[in-house]
Amino acid sequence: MNDDLAQSIRVMTWNIHGGRGPDRRRDLQRVVDLVQRHEPHIIALQEIDSRGQTSAVPDAFDFLGEELGGNSYATRLIRAPDGDYGHAVISHWPMAVARYHDISYKRREPRLAIETILETPLGPLQVVAAHLGLSFRERLQQAEKLVQIVKNGGERSVLMGDLNDWIARSAVRRVLDRQFPGHSHLRTFPANRPILSLDRIYCRPRSILQRCWTDPAARHASDHLPVIADLNLMNPP
């Protein structure tokens, strides 16, 4: 590992589609194996779904949290008799107590953003994870709320998640690009032939973002590709 990578931490975001790949079979072990291949220190996962699982199968939130880091915060936004649905932040390092910000829009599906502070060996990092809505007005309001959340954080921040924003020059993208000068716009959906940049990592300041990439092998485990990034927290803000 070169000196730059020795001073970096790795983050990852992935909409796992409930752990269902193109074979329509739910297999969370495929998710775990692909994530572990990249060795992220912190990961945001969307569309975690434990609904319809039998009692012999571990809860999806608990299983992924333990396998991928041991420290996690989750939103179980949809609760049903046979399980829950939501998203989570999972880390190998301790995290400050999470704040859950309500970014729901009118009567549409409930949405929460998870905010925490990751205590890395290179200093604190504000982490915000979100899964935005499907309508344009909904996403724009949610993006503006995310900007306010980050403005109240520290000098170094990362926003990760499935932003559901497929319009190349949308107001949502302009709002977030202004606030986060370091950002990914990799094509991640649909996984078998990605043409849309739905899943993104945004950073501030720009200097901490070293590189970002995706992994086409993830198409076997989900309908989205993940985004992975190395952040150098030693760079001055």
Side-chain angles (χ1 to χ4, degrees):
M1 180 178 291
N2 62 39
D3 290 341
D4 285 342
L5 291 180
Q7 295 179 346
S8 71
I9 69 166
R10 182 162 294 171
V11 299
M12 181 175 183
T13 184
W14 190 14
N15 182 325
I16 64 170
H17 191 49
R20 291 184 177 87
D23 57 5
R24 298 185 180 180
R25 181 169 59 90
R26 188 202 307 254
D27 187 348
L28 293 178
Q29 190 59 50
R30 289 188 298 201
V31 172
V32 169
D33 291 344
L34 186 129
V35 171
Q36 290 179 338
R37 182 186 310 167
H38 294 282
E39 300 181 322
H41 299 102
I42 187 164
I43 178 170
L45 296 179
Q46 300 85 47
E47 292 194 17
I48 302 174
D49 195 350
S50 64
R51 295 172 295 181
Q53 293 185 200
T54 65
S55 58
V57 178
D59 175 81
F61 291 87
D62 294 341
F63 176 76
L64 293 169
E66 289 300 321
E67 291 292 319
L68 296 178
N71 302 291
S72 64
Y73 290 117
T75 65
R76 297 177 184 246
L77 292 171
I78 298 177
R79 291 183 176 269
D82 60 345
D84 304 323
Y85 171 90
H87 67 107
V89 173
I90 304 168
S91 171
H92 286 277
W93 293 318
M95 297 182 284
V97 175
R99 298 181 63 189
Y100 296 91
H101 299 270
D102 187 356
I103 59 172
S104 304
Y105 181 77
K106 295 184 177 179
R107 296 184 179 180
R108 300 188 68 86
E109 181 180 327
R111 304 277 178 174
L112 291 176
I114 305 172
E115 179 196 11
T116 186
I117 302 296
L118 183 66
E119 298 297 342
T120 84
L122 302 175
L125 175 69
Q126 181 194 33
V127 178
V128 180
H131 187 185
L132 302 192
L134 296 175
S135 79
F136 174 77
R137 289 183 182 276
E138 178 183 13
R139 290 194 304 277
L140 180 56
Q141 177 178 291
Q142 290 166 344
E144 291 170 345
K145 287 184 177 180
L146 292 174
V147 166
Q148 292 306 313
I149 293 169
V150 171
K151 282 184 175 179
N152 294 327
E155 291 182 334
R156 295 172 174 86
S157 305
V158 58
L159 166 66
M160 302 186 286
D162 177 0
L163 303 189
N164 270 321
D165 182 40
W166 56 85
I167 304 171
R169 298 180 180 179
S170 70
V172 173
R173 183 163 172 171
R174 291 197 300 271
V175 165
L176 293 175
D177 284 1
R178 281 198 302 268
Q179 179 63 29
F180 299 92
H183 45 256
S184 72
H185 286 301
L186 301 170
R187 296 177 180 180
T188 59
F189 183 86
N192 61 337
R193 187 173 292 180
I195 58 174
L196 302 176
S197 304
L198 300 188
D199 308 273
R200 301 178 198 162
I201 293 175
Y202 285 94
C203 304
R204 58 188 287 269
R206 180 197 300 269
S207 61
I208 70 173
L209 180 61
Q210 286 183 281
R211 59 175 184 148
C212 57
W213 68 98
T214 188
D215 185 350
R219 67 183 183 274
H220 300 300
S222 173
D223 61 347
H224 287 242
L225 299 182
V227 179
I228 310 104
D230 285 333
L231 310 181
N232 190 336
L233 301 190
M234 298 298 290
N235 285 337

